[in-house]
Amino acid sequence: MKPHLLGNLRAYYLGSVVCMGGFLFGYDSGIVGGVLTLPSFLSDYHAPAAHSTRTNSLAVGLQQLGAFVACFFIWPITNILGRRKALMLSSVVFCIGALIQTINTGSLAAFYVARVIAGLGLGAASVVVPMFSSEMSPKELRGQIGSFFQLFYTLGIFTSYWIDYGVQQRIKGGEARQWQIPIGLQLLPAGFLGLGMITVKESVRWLMKKGREEEARKSLVWIRGGDTAEVEEEFMEIRTGLEIERRETEGFQIKELFEKDNFKRCNLAFWVFVAQQATGATAFAYFGPQYFKLLVGGGSKDLLLTAIFGAIKVAACGLFVLFLADRVDRRWVLIAGAAFMAACQITCAVVVKEKPSPGQGKVTSSGIATVALIYLFVIAYNFSWGPLPWPYVSEIFPTRIREPGIAIGVSSQWLFNFVFSLTTPYMITNMGWGTFLLWGLFDAVIAVFTFCFLKETRGRSLEEIAHDTVLKPKVVEHIEVENYAGGK
């Protein structure tokens, strides 16, 4: 097999293995909203319907709090142990939390604690995965493989929705296994992530930083499919970039993050992930049944509509990753995606306000229209703000501050994931149609933010991006043309 083809296959394989962290994130995100509505769970945990809003809020929000905390502990750990061992550790921690959740303790307090523990593992993995993926992917495939995280996330959500729907239909409401099966299945992707690390090589750039050049060379040769002139050129480029960074500053200190250019990068990463959460898509992932109840009035259709929602997410994200990820400019896709989502959400708010659902599961033409708008919204999200923030943020940092930089960005994702997951049940209960209007206004602001502050990174090496801190989008496009003309 030709080195180029073998290298691409290995890059796809590594991306698939590490992005099981994304599948785990998605599966957990999707499973909990449905589980919390199952009669068996409500009975075993003595969770009265009158307190459902609080239960929903805490069961989801506390895990996001654990994930947020983990972001600040994992980057020094991955700097010491490497990417592979850090992901193994994340997998073990998550499995402990998932196992406690699966045991029928009958105590909501124990369930909440287990959610926090699982969140620690999930948050740690979400920091390391984009870091590892960006450092090992060839620049021609970096956007596509970096978007695997979102693709696997949507696959996880899709799987969880249909499992929730299946156990509701097939298992009697009084049996504990109705909720234990979907919760316990979290252990499978977590175990695959941890064990999968045995089959891949350590990050080339991390090995180079540690002075282990021979191992780094072997790792690069493995991931590129052979020892070729292009691989040697890339190895020298990585080594030169690291040598420049070592000369510029010796001995990393936290205060470096507050230096002008580094602070700009950290600030940008923070707000990119805040924007991703403020689109409203993650809230839909967690509380799909509750949202569709608001649109169509409850009944037996909530979980089915949520499962179809998950299938559309997978199809949209799959099409983007396979055919568009590295063929379109990140910046303009993010702008268009946010604008389209704003239109869908605001229109949905108007329809729900003017033609509210009559309840009792009666589906009206206005209900069908709002469901269609939400499906269009999720398609737009998975063509833009779903997959692209992960590769974008992992690309903008030089190696020297990549670990803390990505940790800052991903921590904001978990922080606002926590904020919105904690508040969304109350928004649905108290605001009704105003919930959709709020998300729509957020999306409009995000479109403006993207137009004003984001720059293009597609088709450029990490070393090139690392030494570019002030270029405007048009200048970046000009440089890309020059680089491709020069054979870079």
Side-chain angles (χ1 to χ4, degrees):
M1 186 179 293
K2 294 181 179 180
H4 179 72
L5 178 58
L6 179 60
N8 286 352
L9 289 175
R10 284 178 175 171
Y12 285 131
Y13 172 74
L14 183 142
S16 299
V17 171
V18 300
C19 285
M20 283 305 296
F23 184 94
L24 186 60
F25 180 15
Y27 184 85
D28 183 85
S29 300
I31 207 72
V32 68
V35 164
L36 294 174
T37 68
L38 295 176
S40 57
F41 181 87
L42 298 175
S43 174
D44 288 344
Y45 281 88
H46 313 290
H51 296 159
S52 62
T53 300
R54 184 178 67 184
T55 303
N56 290 343
S57 178
L58 290 174
V60 176
L62 287 175
Q63 186 180 59
Q64 316 318 315
L65 183 61
F68 170 70
V69 171
C71 292
F72 296 99
F73 289 97
I74 194 60
W75 73 261
I77 292 175
T78 191
N79 188 45
I80 295 169
L81 299 181
R83 315 315 188 209
R84 293 168 69 243
K85 291 181 180 178
L87 283 174
M88 290 178 186
L89 179 63
S90 303
S91 171
V92 170
V93 172
F94 181 90
C95 285
I96 293 171
L99 190 60
I100 297 173
Q101 290 176 61
T102 307
I103 299 170
N104 188 2
T105 63
S107 167
L108 275 176
F111 187 79
Y112 292 152
V113 170
R115 296 287 293 171
V116 174
I117 295 171
L120 292 171
L122 198 57
S126 68
V127 173
V128 182
V129 167
M131 188 187 304
F132 195 6
S133 178
S134 69
E135 290 177 345
M136 292 293 276
S137 301
K139 66 181 181 181
E140 296 82 4
L141 301 176
R142 197 173 59 239
Q144 185 180 57
I145 295 175
S147 297
F148 275 15
F149 191 93
Q150 181 66 19
L151 175 60
F152 277 64
Y153 172 77
T154 61
L155 284 169
I157 287 181
F158 167 78
T159 304
S160 68
Y161 288 163
W162 286 101
I163 288 176
D164 274 347
Y165 180 67
V167 296
Q168 182 202 47
Q169 297 294 313
R170 298 293 181 181
I171 301 177
K172 294 179 180 179
E175 299 183 33
R177 66 193 183 102
Q178 186 188 50
W179 64 265
Q180 285 179 314
I181 288 174
I183 292 291
L185 285 175
Q186 294 177 102
L187 294 166
L188 292 181
F192 187 86
L193 172 65
L195 294 174
M197 288 301 100
I198 299 172
T199 67
V200 300
K201 301 292 185 182
E202 183 56 87
S203 163
V204 176
R205 288 174 172 84
W206 181 81
L207 290 169
M208 291 283 284
K209 280 184 67 179
K210 297 300 178 181
R212 294 155 61 175
E213 289 199 9
E214 188 58 33
E215 291 179 66
R217 186 185 296 275
K218 290 179 180 178
S219 181
L220 185 62
V221 169
W222 178 81
I223 196 65
R224 298 295 183 259
D227 193 357
T228 63
E230 290 79 9
V231 169
E232 182 62 26
E233 182 181 350
E234 183 178 359
F235 183 81
M236 294 301 296
E237 182 182 6
I238 294 171
R239 184 165 67 178
T240 300
L242 289 173
E243 287 174 353
I244 292 172
E245 289 176 6
R246 289 193 187 105
R247 284 199 301 268
E248 289 176 348
T249 50
E250 193 69 31
F252 173 77
Q253 296 180 355
I254 293 293
K255 65 180 182 181
E256 292 180 41
L257 298 176
F258 297 94
E259 294 173 0
K260 182 180 179 182
D261 292 333
N262 289 344
F263 183 76
K264 285 181 180 178
R265 295 175 190 274
C266 292
N267 195 40
L268 184 62
F270 180 91
W271 286 109
V272 164
F273 274 117
V274 170
Q276 185 192 52
Q277 295 307 301
T279 60
T282 303
F284 274 94
Y286 285 125
F287 302 108
Q290 291 84 344
Y291 269 110
F292 285 111
K293 182 178 180 180
L294 183 63
L295 295 176
V296 299
S300 60
K301 300 179 180 65
D302 299 343
L303 285 178
L304 178 59
L305 289 173
T306 305
I308 296 171
F309 175 84
I312 292 173
K313 283 175 69 73
V314 171
C317 192
L319 286 171
F320 179 83
V321 171
L322 293 175
F323 300 108
L324 295 174
D326 279 308
R327 293 180 172 87
V328 294
D329 288 345
R330 316 242 203 276
R331 178 173 175 267
W332 284 109
V333 168
L334 290 172
I335 293 170
F340 188 85
M341 288 188 289
C344 290
Q345 292 275 33
I346 293 172
T347 304
C348 187
V350 172
V351 174
V352 174
K353 181 179 185 298
E354 297 299 325
K355 300 284 185 179
S357 170
Q360 288 85 43
K362 296 179 180 178
V363 180
T364 63
S365 58
S366 60
I368 294 172
T370 54
V371 170
L373 284 167
I374 295 305
Y375 288 166
L376 288 172
F377 160 82
V378 79
I379 290 172
Y381 176 78
N382 283 283
F383 269 73
S384 56
W385 281 95
L388 286 179
W390 298 99
Y392 187 89
V393 167
S394 67
E395 290 168 345
I396 63 175
F397 292 104
T399 304
R400 182 169 184 78
I401 64 164
R402 184 165 290 124
E403 292 99 333
I406 293 177
I408 289 170
V410 177
S411 70
S412 72
Q413 189 260 1
W414 286 113
L415 175 61
F416 283 85
N417 198 319
F418 166 69
V419 170
F420 291 131
S421 63
L422 200 65
T423 57
T424 293
Y426 296 97
M427 290 164 60
I428 294 172
T429 301
N430 300 316
M431 295 174 61
W433 65 269
T435 307
F436 300 102
L437 178 61
L438 181 63
W439 294 130
L441 293 176
F442 282 165
D443 288 329
V445 172
I446 290 166
V448 176
F449 158 79
T450 308
F451 180 81
C452 295
F453 296 107
L454 264 61
K455 302 170 186 176
E456 192 56 65
T457 60
R458 181 174 68 95
R460 308 173 70 203
S461 71
L462 295 180
E463 283 68 32
E464 181 186 355
I465 297 169
H467 290 90
D468 168 23
T469 57
V470 295
L471 293 181
K472 299 296 182 183
K474 289 183 178 179
V475 180
V476 170
E477 292 167 5
H478 175 66
I479 284 182
E480 285 183 11
V481 171
E482 290 182 345
N483 284 342
Y484 283 119
K488 292 187 181 180

